[in-house]
Amino acid sequence: MTEILEGAQRGLLTRSLFGQLLTIDLKDHHEGTYNSLITIVRDLAATADSQQPRCGLFAGFSPQLWGKWNDRTIPISEKVLNGTDQYTNTSGDVLLYLKTHDQNTAEELLKEPKMRLEGLAKNIDCVVMGKRLDSRIIGGRYHDGITNPNDPVSLQEDILINGDFKGSSFAFTQRFLFDWGAIKSNTVDSQDQIVGRRTDGSILSQHSTRGHVHRANVRDSNGDQRKILRQALPFGRVHNHSGREQGIMFVALCNEQQRFEDILQNLLGKRKDDPADKLMQMMSGVGGSYWYVPAARELGVSPAKASDDLYEHPHWKVSSPNGYLFYNFQDYMHTMGEGRYKEGDGPTPRLLSLIHRTFNHWRDGWVHNDHFPRLPHLAGSDDKKKEMEAIPIPTRKAMANFETLNNLLSAPDSKVAQKCGLLRIHPKELIVGVVPDFTYGRGKEVMPYLSNEEVFNFWLAKQLNEFSSMGHIIPDLDHLVRNGLGNMLADLEKRLHEDPSHATFYKSAITSLKGVQGYLRNWATAADNSAAQARTQNQADDADSMADVSDRLRRLADQAPQSFQDAVQLLYSFHCCLHLVGELTSIGRLDQILWPFLEKYPIPTDRAQEIIDCLFVKIGENAFIDRSFIHDYITCGTGSINGGWGNFSQGGGINQWGQQITIGGYKAMDGEPQDGCNPVTMLFLKSARRIPVSAPSVSLRLNKQTPVGIIEEAAKALLSGGAQPCLFNDDKLCKGLLDSGVTSDHVGIRRSRDYAADGCFEPMMAGATEFAFNNVMPLLALEQTINEGATYAAAGSEHLRGLKASFRSPLARSIKSFEELQKIFLEQLRWLTIQCYGYILDHYGNLADVCPSPLLSTVIDGCIEKGRDLTDGGARFHMIAPLFPGASNTIDSLYAIWKLVYDDKTACTTLDELLLCLINDWGFGMIEPYQDLMLAATEAEQHADRYKELRTAALALPKWASGAADAVLQKIGADFMDSIVEIGKSVIREPHPALAPKLERIRQKYGQDFEFVVTIGAGTFEGYTGVGEACGASADGRRKGMPVASDTSPAPSPQDLPPKPAFRNIYGVMKSYHQDAVEYGIADAAPVDLNLPEDFPLEDLQQFIKDYAAGWVGGNLITLTCADLQTLQAASKDPEKYGLVRVRMGGWSEFYTTAFPAHQDHHQRRPTVAPGRPDEQGYEVQNGDF
């Protein structure tokens, strides 16, 4: 790991605090001069090394001179350095940089060497330098060098040269003088923008392309920023003022000299007289040059020692005390690269190299605002669009798929692919390919194929277009790797010949799969090119590895996998292809898919782990960290989840790629259940623990047979943050899915055990299911209950009592009992549920005529057999889900109404006064006609005070799933959950008269045996803020428009009040979910999203997961985000310093700092759990085992 690092001169890594920089012009270049000079350098280096505290020296030489002395050619470019007045090339023969802990030491150490050098030199230029105690520069405003690549991985990747002279480097020096008049003419805010950072070190979004951080960021041909190691120090004083440095002696190192030229050019921009970097307008370079810094072995000096010489900047030296959770990139790379990881099984050097590149790629998001371009139309020109109408739309979609995969987004010479970073490849990669930066929140770009007239007609009739495919389901990648592309194509050709009535479908599937073959062959060429480049850089092992990758890709274009790595590469390549054509799908049960290959073609566990680690890095390498640069690609029609269109929540799905991996769980078989965990399951858990990416999102299926080792590893992974893995309970969800069919054999036992998480968390039969959902809003049903059938978020002068939504329920004052209110509420809920199903049924099959899915259909069971596209009823299972978001808030609101209005012991208001209170947002939004603003202000204030008083009472009430033992609250919660399951199933299984003809229409088209799998859900996903925006204030104390609880979680503390999370016994929280309606009835899963303290004891967490797997702890899906409130609050202030903190959104993990403030505030207020014992919460502990 440290071979290159320990080839460097030891002084190169010494931290620069004080020192002197000597630039020497020799009298001659004779051999005797060389020998004398080298002796002086060695002596000085040894003296510096012996000091306490240790000092350091590194020596550099004119590349031409060192080459002459050592019979080498060291080419450099000086075009930019010599081509402008902004920099000055004063050349020189030798560079000596002595670094010390104070100025006196530097002076003392150099006395004797300077006298010896005077005999060899015709000129010695000496710059005396030193930092302030706080290491700030430019008048003490800015931290210096905090982004330096000081960790061992970055040093070896970007700073030190590999090959024959391991540890050597190139240096650039330039003495810059500050123009203090120009600096002080800018306000302090302007200075921050010019530098690109605040004075506390936190980064600013680089919207100005003239800030220094932006201009100094230069990317290579692979789209990666390559770092330089800055060891600059300020020098001198202006008018002897300590707060006014004369300038800065810039010293930097890297392993490619051209990188300096590229950065200098980017600082200048296009005009030599007006530097693009505004900071460069405030300084001028008066002397310096390029240097070759020999390796320690070349120079004969002491080499660096990784254990002693590495330095981590204190700005980044923050991490969780639990040892698993990392806060930032720099601390992660130091800890892993230096071998200090708690578990001792950190990623391999190969992986750390790839993770280093990934982190740099993410960090570029602070600087570069890159957008994916709109793709050209399939027709090529406007005049040909009309002609294409004669071609069936499935055929056109397949043609667009082929052009996208074979040419536009993967061909080595494609400018679009290059610009979008879709050709990134690194010679250390074991798995290659790039997932495009398409997400559910941001949208996607696909190749259009409809004519202008068709676009209008489909918008008018259906609000759909070429962007409407959603993905969001699970492809059958097991079928892919078992058969291979060649056999799949042969099967399709055979079916085409035997069944010409479905020719359009089969031809579109064939064309799409041929596009995948082209994609693999293009990447084989990319691997060839990478191998060739690695050979020119004397990286033989990397070149051989890339050659192996190339051979694999060409073989997989036609043949089935013949090794574990083959299978991983093929499924990943196909996954990339699906996303490239707009099908944002998950990945499925990868441990079950891959284990047969590892079992049949065994390789060492370490090698298998490295392959899975590489897969994790590839899936997670695209991520957005600066929300201010987010570009919205979504159109009216993008991502139709139910055959129609609606504006769903986007802001929470910025990094939602839909890349879910499911592991563990029962085997897909009939008879007695058998757990399917295998060695590959453990590989994925270890990857999730050690590699801090936002994708893939790992789901672990637990059951009574889950091995203890799997559970213990899962607990460690959870403590590493990001809610990885989320925890499904098989014994509950398998039964729930089995019962979701119209009969017991509709889904069947084997299929119910073969579920995986789709693009979020919804469990569905893997590789065989289409899916649609729609929301039923219980909080709106409650508003309609007490407000005569109207919702009141929009109440006021325009809509009076609000938006009229359903039947006119009785006046609030006439609802005399809580039982009567509940009855009205359930009827309102029933109406909304019927409306939800009606929308889904009316739009079923709409996509087939506009945006079919020929590629995805090749890996969905049922489509090939029927000759029908996925969008046209082709899948084996047709799953629909009515979702009831805001369940916890609704339960708490019903309970609050009982306590505040109807309970003889606690009632303090009437229902009609409470309604006025809620319409007026608990007194924070007094509106007409409910408050006459013509009257004295004191009257409005008095009413507002009364409403706020009621809110205080509501907030003080116990909340559902808080561990409260209130019997009425628990009964209201249980009744509500029973009701949504009963209503959700009954209105479609015994079809309401409004739904019966809609179902019959579908059966007439697809056959009388057509049936839906109905899974009741309660998920908000990332939309807990969007759901809340549509709702008025609720009786639980929630303010108008504020977020609801995520999924079926306990309600968060109020968003308008400071976060004060109560630490609740984890067993007590889950007890509210220990009922059949939740555990079995909500078969779409009922996620409970909880925050886990960073110091939660590992043993307690492992025991809790064991108890949950055993089945007697409540709930069927739990997500645990490990992050303290203090960590989240610090991350909001300094996002770069906490860039690796991840939180659970809906069905995936998000970088906390990327989330918008409303989401950040919500996460700070989510329930936090504490360790506990199950017997303390009234659980019946089985066998005394807890």
Side-chain angles (χ1 to χ4, degrees), residues 119-181:
L120 304 176
K122 59 183 178 183
N123 182 59
I124 301 176
D125 179 71
C126 179
V127 182
V128 177
M129 309 166 293
K131 285 186 177 180
R132 296 161 48 117
L133 291 178
D134 59 9
S135 297
R136 291 177 179 267
I137 62 171
I138 311 182
R141 282 187 57 79
Y142 300 103
H143 289 288
D144 181 51
I146 62 174
T147 60
N148 255 347
N150 295 315
D151 66 89
V153 182
S154 299
L155 288 168
Q156 295 181 122
E157 288 291 317
D158 289 346
I159 309 306
L160 303 174
I161 296 172
N162 195 358
D164 294 335
F165 303 98
K166 287 181 172 61
S168 59
S169 189
F170 289 101
F172 169 64
T173 58
Q174 190 73 189
R175 188 189 312 192
F176 286 106
L177 300 178
F178 289 152
D179 181 345
W180 278 103

Side-chain angles (χ1 to χ4, degrees), residues 1001-1066:
R1001 176 191 65 83
I1002 293 172
R1003 291 193 178 105
Q1004 286 178 1
K1005 182 174 181 179
Y1006 297 107
Q1008 289 301 311
D1009 60 345
F1010 184 99
E1011 294 289 352
F1012 285 109
V1013 175
V1014 178
T1015 54
I1016 310 303
T1020 60
F1021 316 112
E1022 81 289 358
Y1024 42 83
T1025 57
V1027 170
E1029 284 179 356
C1031 299
S1034 46
D1036 60 342
R1038 193 190 124 269
R1039 293 275 309 279
K1040 173 185 174 181
M1042 289 194 173
V1044 299
S1046 65
D1047 301 316
T1048 50
S1049 311
S1053 60
Q1055 198 104 340
D1056 63 322
L1057 299 177
K1060 293 182 179 179
F1063 286 82
R1064 300 169 177 173
N1065 182 305
I1066 190 169

Side-chain angles (χ1 to χ4, degrees), residues 180-446:
W180 278 103
I183 293 173
K184 299 308 292 182
S185 68
N186 289 273
T187 65
V188 291
D189 287 342
S190 294
Q191 290 177 33
D192 291 352
Q193 290 291 336
I194 289 169
V195 171
R197 289 187 178 275
R198 298 182 182 89
T199 55
D200 63 0
S202 59
I203 195 168
L204 295 170
S205 293
Q206 302 298 299
H207 291 282
S208 170
T209 60
R210 302 193 67 178
H212 181 66
V213 169
H214 181 94
R215 300 307 304 186
N217 184 293
V218 176
R219 292 182 286 186
D220 63 14
S221 59
N222 218 21
D224 297 320
Q225 185 208 7
R226 306 296 300 280
K227 293 283 190 176
I228 60 173
L229 179 65
R230 297 175 71 258
Q231 297 193 341
L233 288 174
F235 65 88
R237 295 180 180 181
V238 176
H239 304 307
N240 204 32
H241 195 301
S242 298
R244 296 287 185 272
E245 313 98 306
Q246 184 180 357
I248 191 162
M249 187 66 227
F250 187 81
V251 182
L253 301 109
C254 73
N255 53 15
E256 294 173 329
Q257 186 269 332
Q258 181 61 41
R259 194 179 308 155
F260 290 129
E261 286 275 289
D262 294 342
I263 293 173
L264 293 179
Q265 180 60 60
N266 211 47
L267 297 178
L268 288 175
K270 296 180 179 179
R271 293 180 54 184
K272 296 180 181 180
D273 60 335
D274 181 24
D277 182 352
K278 285 190 174 183
L279 186 61
M280 298 304 298
Q281 297 178 355
M282 302 173 189
M283 58 176 61
S284 56
V286 297
S289 191
Y290 292 128
W291 310 90
Y292 174 72
V293 181
R297 177 174 56 83
E298 292 183 84
L299 197 56
V301 298
S302 296
K305 296 180 180 178
S307 58
D308 298 335
D309 297 333
L310 292 170
Y311 167 73
E312 182 175 358
H313 196 288
H315 182 78
W316 309 111
K317 207 167 186 178
V318 290
S319 61
S320 174
N322 72 27
Y324 295 105
L325 172 62
F326 291 90
Y327 293 157
N328 61 67
F329 309 143
Q330 288 85 346
D331 189 60
Y332 176 91
M333 296 307 297
H334 272 282
T335 301
M336 292 301 194
E338 295 169 24
R340 295 188 283 109
Y341 181 50
K342 178 173 185 174
E343 288 292 311
D345 61 349
T348 64
R350 177 195 302 276
L351 261 297
L352 288 175
S353 174
L354 297 176
I355 292 170
H356 156 79
R357 292 299 175 91
T358 297
F359 285 169
N360 277 351
H361 182 59
W362 293 351
R363 275 192 294 240
D364 287 347
W366 288 114
V367 178
H368 298 286
N369 189 4
D370 297 328
H371 295 163
F372 206 98
R374 295 186 181 186
L375 301 184
H377 196 280
L378 177 64
S381 62
D382 286 343
D383 59 335
K384 294 183 179 179
K385 289 182 182 179
K386 185 68 175 176
E387 298 175 13
M388 296 202 75
E389 289 186 6
I391 303 173
I393 284 177
T395 303
R396 278 185 263 165
K397 177 63 179 286
M399 293 166 63
N401 286 349
F402 180 85
E403 180 63 24
T404 298
L405 299 177
N406 188 67
N407 297 312
L408 191 61
L409 298 186
S410 76
D413 59 351
S414 169
K415 293 182 180 179
V416 175
Q418 183 69 41
K419 179 182 184 300
C420 298
L422 295 176
L423 302 181
R424 288 196 311 273
I425 189 169
H426 189 278
K428 293 190 182 299
E429 289 179 334
L430 298 178
I431 306 299
V432 299
V434 177
V435 178
D437 59 355
F438 303 154
T439 69
Y440 294 143
R442 297 171 66 251
K444 58 195 173 188
E445 293 288 350
V446 298

Side-chain angles (χ1 to χ4, degrees), residues 67-84:
K68 174 184 175 182
W69 279 342
N70 291 275
D71 194 25
R72 289 172 55 194
T73 300
I74 305 176
I76 64 167
S77 169
E78 299 176 319
K79 181 179 178 181
V80 179
L81 182 59
N82 292 332
T84 175

Side-chain angles (χ1 to χ4, degrees), residues 1092-1115:
L1092 197 68
E1094 293 173 33
D1095 63 355
F1096 198 103
L1098 174 62
E1099 296 77 11
D1100 288 338
L1101 182 58
Q1102 290 171 334
Q1103 185 59 56
F1104 171 76
I1105 299 173
K1106 291 175 186 176
D1107 295 337
Y1108 172 72
W1112 51 269
V1113 171

Side-chain angles (χ1 to χ4, degrees), residues 489 492-493 496 505-515 858:
L489 279 165
L492 287 167
E493 295 281 4
L496 173 61
F505 169 73
Y506 288 127
K507 286 180 179 179
S508 67
I510 290 168
T511 301
S512 296
L513 282 183
K514 287 183 177 179
T858 65

Side-chain angles (χ1 to χ4, degrees), residues 111 116 128 148 178 259 262 426 444 526 667 733 767 870 873 877 932 978 1045 1087 1107 1123 1173:
K111 277 184 181 178
R116 295 167 65 186
V128 177
N148 255 347
F178 289 152
R259 194 179 308 155
D262 294 342
H426 189 278
K444 58 195 173 188
K667 294 180 180 179
L733 284 170
L870 166 69
F877 298 108
D932 190 346
D978 286 340
D1107 295 337
R1173 292 168 58 92

